[in-house]
Amino acid sequence: MKVFALIAVIITGAALIYSTFEMPDWGDAGSPANTHVSPRYIESSIKETATPNIVTSVLADYRGYDTLGETTVIFTAGMVCILLLRSKKDD
Amino acid sequence: MIKDFDNIIIKTVCRILTPFLQIFALYVIAHGHYSPGGGFQGGCILGASFILLVIAYDIDTVKKRMSEKLNTVMCSLGVIIYAGIGLTCLILGANYLDYGILHRVLPVDAVKARAMGTLGIEIGVGITVMSVMISIFLNIASGGKHEEGAID
Amino acid sequence: MELIIGKYNYWIYIVLMMIGFYAMIAKRNLVKKLVGMNIFQTAIILYFVSIASKKGGATIPILFKDAVIIPEQYMNPLPHVLMLTAIVVMVSTFGVALALIIMIFRRYGTLEEDEILEIERNRK
């Protein structure tokens, strides 16, 4: 069983390493991830939101729906922990 | 089992350290516009300060300061603050979570109003993260009984 | 040589991810599986943060006051935002999973997967 797991892991890792030959180099400023939307965030953050920390302005302003969903996920996790585990003392 | 571990140095250091931790957490939340920080990080530090008290003292000490009812209310209060700011924007005539319209109710211009709305939802996120951290830790550490050494 | 310098960060994360993956599918203990899942998520977080970096003097994404803003001088803020929320969600999922594991331990008295399956088989 552990041999099959090891074989599956090695095959998956080899496929992933093969795929990295097509990836942009580490720290490449011209890679697609660094040129698609982030220059707009960097340029217009202080003009549009008056917030120098771009991470905060993207987190709370440009992607507000996303953060609302994440907060709801955290809230649901807390409620699930209470529902699963909490029991009264004299039960 | 846990009562044997009763060290005066650990208790004193944790008691003195806790207010500074909480002040630092509030600084991280409020200064998140200008330095690394924000609601998630500050909320985690606030929750960690209470968890430090649970580890150094016991659960009853923390439940005196932050009761279970208050903690559960604050869990949902953060989400309500977040969604309520979004709803305020909707009522004032803009899109949901479009904070620029808040300049009608705040004494600032439209660009600064976006920063103010951002600060409001960071506070909401911080409250939720803090109370969820505390409730997860208390429930898992005590197996849901909320008393010392009760895990079976 | 250029290949190694340009890509070795991805290989480190892939090795880390495969360690977590192996723990998830090969280990019998449920807590060990959970720790494997955490290692897996940590590898993904490191990967996302590493694609945000820009070589050549780029700093953290906090703007200086009254400076001319050139996008090449600041790191990509978007992966930082996504991973900031992902870290907190990781902690929450870890808490929920631990709660479920406590419930499993209360019901079966063990956390080994094959022993739980054995108990279920005997019950039928």
Side-chain angles (χ1 to χ4, degrees), chain A residues 34-87:
Chain A
N34 287 341
T35 54
H36 181 46
V37 286
S38 72
R40 191 200 174 279
Y41 287 147
I42 293 171
E43 279 163 359
S44 56
S45 166
I46 204 143
K47 256 184 298 180
E48 290 179 355
T49 65
T51 307
N53 190 350
I54 312 169
V55 172
T56 302
S57 71
V58 175
L59 177 84
D61 201 332
Y62 293 110
R63 293 188 166 240
Y65 278 109
D66 195 0
T67 313
L68 179 61
E70 304 277 359
T71 315
T72 317
V73 167
I74 296 163
F75 168 69
T76 315
M79 287 300 115
V80 165
C81 268
I82 293 173
L83 280 176
L84 278 178
L85 288 174
R86 186 77 180 103
S87 58

Side-chain angles (χ1 to χ4, degrees), chain C residues 11-21 36 39-40 42-43 46:
Chain C
W11 299 344
I12 292 171
Y13 309 143
I14 286 168
V15 168
L16 200 57
M17 186 186 282
M18 286 307 116
I19 291 171
F21 191 42
I39 295 172
F40 196 100
T42 309
L46 285 172

Side-chain angles (χ1 to χ4, degrees), chain B residues 34-36 40-41 44 129 133 136 140 143-145 151-152, chain C residues 60 62 84-85 88 91-92 94-96 98-99 102 105-106:
Chain B
Y34 302 100
S35 66
F40 288 102
Q41 297 96 319
C44 276
V129 170
M133 289 291 151
I136 285 179
I140 286 177
K145 302 278 201 309
I151 192 153
D152 49 338
Chain C
I60 55 172
I62 295 172
L84 177 62
T85 51
V88 183
V91 173
S92 311
F94 195 61
V96 172
L98 278 179
I102 288 175
F105 185 77
R106 276 189 192 154

Side-chain angles (χ1 to χ4, degrees), chain C residues 69-115:
Chain C
I69 297 162
I70 307 166
E72 278 77 28
Q73 281 183 355
Y74 298 99
M75 284 184 189
N76 190 354
L78 196 53
H80 292 168
V81 173
L82 299 176
M83 289 309 108
L84 177 62
T85 51
I87 290 170
V88 183
V89 170
M90 185 172 105
V91 173
S92 311
T93 51
F94 195 61
V96 172
L98 278 179
L100 285 172
I101 281 177
I102 288 175
M103 296 304 285
I104 289 171
F105 185 77
R106 276 189 192 154
R107 176 153 180 178
Y108 293 103
T110 178
L111 284 180
E112 302 293 323
E113 211 178 34
D114 37 2
E115 290 178 22

